[in-house]
Amino acid sequence: DATDLIRSMKVKKTKIFPKVDFIVFNFPHTGRGMKDMDRNIRDHQLLVLGYFKSSIELFENLEKKNTKTSDLNVMGKEEKEPKIVLSVFEGEPYDSWNIKSLSKTLGLKVERSGKFQWSAFEGYEHKRTNSEQNTTKVASERNAKIYVFEKFKKQQKKKAAEDSDEE
């Protein structure tokens, strides 16, 4: 369940969990075939928001859990900030989900985005959400976009606030 990653990944308070650098959700979909486009869009926005919130909670939980081991800073290597990755098809209704705007409401920003490279996910098969059937369109023939999100850093938040005051 992408909206409850702590439970889904069975992260327990007493267990040391490996460092997680990325959480990836390719082509989120509720599996509902709603005809009402506004309800459909809102339903998927809630799914994406749930994924973002769950990812943030998981990273924060793991950070607290692994603080003692990360304080060792093995061989002087700088810890990387964890990233949240989301892939969606291009076009409607996906464009109307307003992925970037949703991310900002939770203090995330797009670090980078680009064309989804199907070859980077060798063996990936896109299936219908509500069954094991293949989709009606061959996924790799469809245009898709991948987003990599990171948390706004405090300095970035301050600059963003200053920029908005100037407008």
Side-chain angles (χ1 to χ4, degrees), residues 41-146:
I41 290 167
R42 183 69 187 142
D43 210 36
H44 286 91
Q45 286 176 323
L46 291 173
L47 173 63
V48 170
L49 276 171
Y51 164 64
F52 286 152
K53 286 178 185 175
S54 182
S55 297
I56 291 166
E57 288 171 6
L58 178 67
F59 284 141
E60 288 172 351
N61 188 288
L62 295 178
E63 185 178 312
K64 286 177 193 171
K65 216 180 264 300
N66 297 331
T67 298
K68 291 178 183 170
T69 56
S70 66
D71 284 346
L72 298 175
N73 197 359
V74 180
M75 295 175 54
K77 290 184 180 177
E78 188 177 319
E79 290 284 320
K80 291 182 186 175
E81 282 292 318
K83 310 288 185 213
I84 299 170
V85 181
L86 183 76
S87 302
V88 293
F89 289 112
E90 291 183 357
E92 291 300 336
Y94 313 101
D95 293 345
S96 292
W97 295 1
N98 297 314
I99 302 292
K100 290 193 257 185
S101 296
L102 290 175
S103 72
K104 287 179 185 177
T105 66
L106 297 173
L108 299 173
K109 74 172 192 109
V110 176
E111 180 200 60
R112 64 185 181 270
S113 64
K115 181 179 170 87
F116 185 85
Q117 301 296 322
W118 292 97
S119 61
F121 294 87
E122 188 176 326
Y124 174 79
E125 289 185 40
H126 191 70
K127 301 283 186 185
R128 289 178 185 249
T129 306
N130 56 2
S131 71
E132 286 297 310
Q133 298 175 352
N134 287 324
T135 55
T136 53
K137 298 177 186 174
V138 177
S140 60
E141 294 175 2
R142 297 174 69 183
N143 289 330
K145 192 163 192 166
I146 189 166

Side-chain angles (χ1 to χ4, degrees), residues 20-41:
V20 176
D21 295 318
F22 294 92
I23 298 175
V24 181
F25 193 1
N26 286 330
F27 309 106
H29 200 279
T30 63
R32 298 185 194 125
M34 285 185 243
K35 301 291 181 210
D36 181 339
M37 185 65 83
D38 290 337
R39 278 187 57 216
N40 187 332
I41 290 167

